Amino acid sequence: DDLFTEGTEAHKRWIADLDRMAAGLKELQDAGVVVLWRPLHEMNGDWFWWSYGENGRISQEKYKKLWKHMFDYFTKDRGLHNLLWVYSPNATLGNSGIKPTIYYYPGSEYVDIVGMDYYWDDLTKVNEDGSYDALVSLNKPVGFAEVGAQSRSGSDNLMIIKAINTKFPQMTFAVHW
């Protein structure tokens, strides 16, 4: 809550961080570069400060407020219009400890592209709990924001391409990680 309260140390640090990011993004805007901006990714897991708090996972309300605050600060306050905002939760892989992929979705007016981060040796688990279908239902361009093998021996780019072409035709991009 202090992050959004002007005058608090947390708010000052947050705005300072946003200002540093905005300065770099402004340089890119001035150079005519469009940026796929993927902030606060994998929010449905428990490994980042924006996804997990002292009392458990961040609430939907607070995550959405955080995303919208960054969006408004960059676009309205800092005048950045070269950003394509990418919402990218982690694949749930049927894990009940991870929130569903669209649980933290901040709203269509704040997101341009949706993606999923997925690490497994094959793509058979991408939609076993409807994660892929849920992202597709948002009617945004969808892709793998990060995709890669779980093991060193499982990495196979051709397998990923074939699986996208045959099983996930709405995927418009994949970033192999």
Side-chain angles (χ1 to χ4, degrees), residues 9-60:
E9 192 59 36
H11 181 76
K12 290 175 190 175
R13 286 193 315 263
W14 173 241
I15 296 301
D17 283 347
L18 291 180
D19 284 341
R20 280 190 293 278
M21 288 182 263
L25 294 167
K26 177 75 165 82
E27 284 183 39
L28 292 171
Q29 180 173 280
D30 292 346
V33 176
V34 175
V35 176
L36 292 171
W37 184 246
R38 194 172 74 105
L40 309 170
H41 66 294
E42 297 181 6
M43 75 301 291
N44 60 330
D46 63 359
W47 40 88
F48 295 116
W49 67 262
W50 56 84
S51 60
Y52 191 81
E54 290 179 18
N55 298 322
R57 296 187 196 282
I58 190 171
S59 70
Q60 281 179 312

Side-chain angles (χ1 to χ4, degrees), residues 139-167:
N139 295 314
K140 299 281 185 180
V142 63
F144 285 114
E146 292 179 25
V147 64
Q150 183 182 32
S151 67
R152 289 182 184 202
S153 63
S155 186
D156 182 352
N157 288 333
L158 187 56
M159 176 275 301
I160 291 170
I161 293 167
K162 286 179 181 178
I164 289 171
N165 286 333
T166 59
K167 298 178 182 175

Side-chain angles (χ1 to χ4, degrees), residues 72-161:
D72 288 341
Y73 190 77
F74 281 173
T75 60
K76 295 175 183 173
D77 297 345
R78 296 302 300 263
L80 295 170
H81 301 291
N82 62 322
L83 307 178
L84 293 174
W85 290 76
V86 182
Y87 171 82
S88 60
N90 198 60
T92 61
L93 304 173
N95 182 341
S96 61
I98 295 178
K99 293 291 185 189
T101 53
I102 62 173
Y103 184 81
Y104 291 106
Y105 187 67
S108 291
E109 62 273 26
Y110 298 97
V111 174
D112 299 302
I113 298 170
V114 295
M116 177 189 301
D117 293 2
Y118 180 89
Y119 291 94
W120 205 254
D121 288 343
D122 61 51
L123 274 73
T124 59
K125 296 179 180 283
V126 168
N127 200 37
E128 74 178 9
D129 62 354
S131 293
Y132 170 74
D133 290 338
L135 289 173
V136 169
S137 76
L138 297 172
N139 295 314
K140 299 281 185 180
V142 63
F144 285 114
E146 292 179 25
V147 64
Q150 183 182 32
S151 67
R152 289 182 184 202
S153 63
S155 186
D156 182 352
N157 288 333
L158 187 56
M159 176 275 301
I160 291 170
I161 293 167

